[in-house]
Amino acid sequence: MNVDAVCRAIEEREAEWIALRREFHRFPELLFDVGRTAARVAHLLREYGLEVQEGVGDHFGKGVVGVLRGGKPGRTVLLRADMDALPIREIEGREYGSEIEGAMHACGHDAHTAMLLAAAYGLSRERERLSGTVRFVFQPAEEGAAPSPVDGELRSGGRDLVESGAADGIDGAFALHVWPGLETGGLAIHRREAMAASSHFRFTFRGRSGHHGAPHLAADALLMAAHFAVEANSAVAVASDPLEPVSFAFGKLQAGTAGNVIADTAEVLGTYRAFNDATVRRIRFVLERCAAACADRFGGTVDPSFRMGKALINDAAAVELAERAGADVFGAEQVRMLDQPSLAGEDFAYYLDKAPGAMLLIGVRDEARGIVHPLHHPSFDLDERAIALGAKLHARVAVTFLQRGFE
């Protein structure tokens, strides 16, 4: 197969991919509420001649999967992009700034979606020469989770799609993520541990409301939550191996309705991050036990809720393949291998339960133009020259895998 022809087809329509990214950027959608984006993705995939399945996900039904079957039999490779944005208010004054108040693509998922669509277009032009199948997966809710309407458990988009069969039968899986710490034209790949298992928790403490003049007749949920917020840090610290990286932090505490009324409910939200599955489970147990003790001490109860994270571990053979493909796109001198993992989380990890694979980090930084802000920042932006590069990398990785597998 002539992968150079695929890359040329992508390059010829670079302005279209940039315009597409800007369209997604103007209309960001949060978590599973990605109806507009998903519909646009499905429409374009059909336009490129792919088989398209909408409403993917047994719990939320918001994913889109496009299937490109080559003219010759072979392996199946999965390429993933995420579609959701963040509840962040973007700085004003940008030509293509968010038109949705309080929502912004501050993590580059708009570019991820445009890159994968561009790759689908380019590969579709050479489908008859393609040996095997490329499965393009566009998922919601990478940035968080929501209670499932089926069983009430917190689920992210990746977990929903994988549990619903979107990754069944694949032989390899790859994803890209924009990386503002790296100049445009550069690529970085973790040799093994890439990102931590980012687990989210919510503890809802329940007591009895009452008058401040008669606290003995009430059960103060705010006190329960406050003691938990203090004690949980120590409990997690002593339960963690000091030689193992663990990050634990609270993000939100909300309680009460008035300054002179004892609160009957209080919520505490936060995250913890680790790389070992046993550690992730142990910290959950410690937090649940600590919360129950704090609630009982003040005469109340507590309801825990978790979105369990999963560490993203790149496969060695997949890393080697991606390094070769990256050298073809960026030049060998522009490909960096990383040994230090990130404590950020990524639910692409669930796809790697189904097949070996890797996540690749593509540079989007341009200091001369002031494109320097980190992910999740209200001023985050990216160098749009990276979009065509990302699409070509997707294509190179897919073709290389289908032709050679993990040699």
Side-chain angles (χ1 to χ4, degrees):
M1 179 183 178
N2 188 354
V3 70
D4 291 332
V6 173
C7 291
R8 285 195 299 271
I10 291 169
E11 291 170 353
E12 288 168 0
R13 297 178 69 166
E14 182 176 12
E16 182 177 328
W17 315 131
I18 291 173
L20 193 59
R21 177 259 168 169
R22 293 186 175 192
E23 174 188 334
F24 294 137
H25 192 89
R26 286 197 301 272
F27 301 101
E29 297 177 296
L30 305 179
L31 288 178
F32 289 98
D33 295 325
V34 294
R36 186 186 192 279
T37 305
R40 183 78 164 116
V41 166
H43 171 79
L44 289 171
L45 291 174
R46 288 194 178 96
E47 189 176 285
Y48 305 154
L50 276 67
E51 302 170 22
V52 178
Q53 183 181 1
E54 297 182 74
V56 179
D58 293 343
H59 293 266
F60 293 94
K62 296 299 179 72
V64 180
V65 177
V67 178
L68 179 66
R69 302 187 192 279
K72 305 171 186 177
R75 305 176 181 88
T76 297
V77 62
L78 182 150
L79 305 176
R80 188 221 69 170
D82 32 20
M83 301 184 289
D84 58 318
L86 284 156
I88 294 175
R89 187 174 185 272
E90 187 171 9
I91 61 162
E92 297 180 356
R94 285 181 172 163
E95 173 190 351
Y96 48 88
S98 171
E99 297 182 22
I100 308 300
E101 180 63 30
M104 174 194 175
H105 271 294
C107 201
H109 296 186
D110 49 350
H112 297 170
T113 302
M115 288 174 184
L116 194 54
L117 285 168
Y121 167 78
L123 288 166
S124 73
R125 309 292 290 177
E126 295 287 318
R127 75 176 70 226
E128 294 305 319
R129 299 176 181 84
L130 191 68
S131 298
T133 299
V134 185
R135 194 178 303 175
F136 301 87
V137 175
F138 297 81
Q139 73 158 79
E142 189 282 321
E143 293 291 359
S148 165
V150 177
D151 61 12
E153 187 172 345
L154 285 173
R155 274 182 175 77
S156 66
R159 182 181 170 192
D160 185 18
L161 266 62
V162 170
E163 289 181 349
S164 304
D168 287 358
I170 63 171
D171 300 298
F174 295 88
L176 307 185
H177 204 297
V178 299
W179 210 246
L182 192 63
E183 288 288 328
T184 303
L187 178 70
I189 311 170
H190 287 93
R191 295 184 191 276
R192 184 162 169 74
E193 289 88 357
M195 297 192 189
S198 176
S199 296
H200 295 219
F201 60 81
R202 178 196 304 264
F203 286 95
T204 303
F205 293 89
R206 305 188 189 281
R208 293 187 306 279
S209 185
H211 196 284
H212 279 191
H216 60 294
L217 301 178
D220 194 333
L222 192 155
L223 270 180
M224 302 172 204
H227 276 256
F228 172 68
V230 173
E231 295 176 24
N233 275 289
S234 299
V236 170
V238 299
S240 302
D241 183 339
L243 298 179
E244 183 182 346
V246 173
S247 174
F248 174 80
F250 293 104
K252 182 179 180 181
L253 190 158
Q254 183 172 320
T257 58
N260 61 347
V261 178
I262 292 174
D264 63 351
T265 60
E267 283 192 332
V268 182
L269 286 73
T271 73
Y272 64 92
R273 299 150 194 268
F275 290 93
N276 184 288
D277 284 343
T279 301
V280 172
R281 292 191 298 270
R282 184 168 66 251
I283 292 176
R284 173 173 178 163
F285 172 75
V286 166
L287 290 175
E288 288 179 323
R289 187 172 59 180
C290 180
C294 291
D296 183 68
R297 187 182 311 152
F298 295 99
T301 60
V302 63
D303 295 323
S305 181
F306 283 82
R307 186 206 84 170
M308 299 305 293
K310 189 170 186 60
L312 175 56
I313 311 296
N314 287 342
D315 175 77
V319 167
E320 184 178 341
L321 181 152
E323 185 179 10
R324 293 198 307 269
D328 290 338
V329 176
F330 298 89
E333 70 284 357
Q334 296 299 321
V335 181
R336 294 171 49 190
M337 304 306 296
L338 304 177
D339 294 306
Q340 184 68 38
S342 167
L343 281 169
E346 237 299 345
D347 74 351
F348 180 64
Y350 286 100
Y351 297 85
L352 301 187
D353 275 345
K354 295 294 185 178
M359 169 162 277
L360 321 178
L361 308 179
I362 183 169
V364 294
R365 185 182 185 89
D366 186 345
E367 292 197 24
R369 294 165 54 203
I371 301 176
V372 297
H373 293 92
L375 301 174
H376 294 208
H377 191 284
S379 295
F380 171 78
D381 201 357
L382 54 88
D383 184 348
E384 292 172 319
R385 292 176 299 170
I387 296 174
L389 289 171
K392 290 190 288 185
L393 180 61
H394 269 309
R396 289 271 183 186
V397 164
V399 171
T400 301
F401 177 77
L402 293 179
Q403 289 177 338
R404 305 178 186 176
F406 294 130
E407 295 177 346

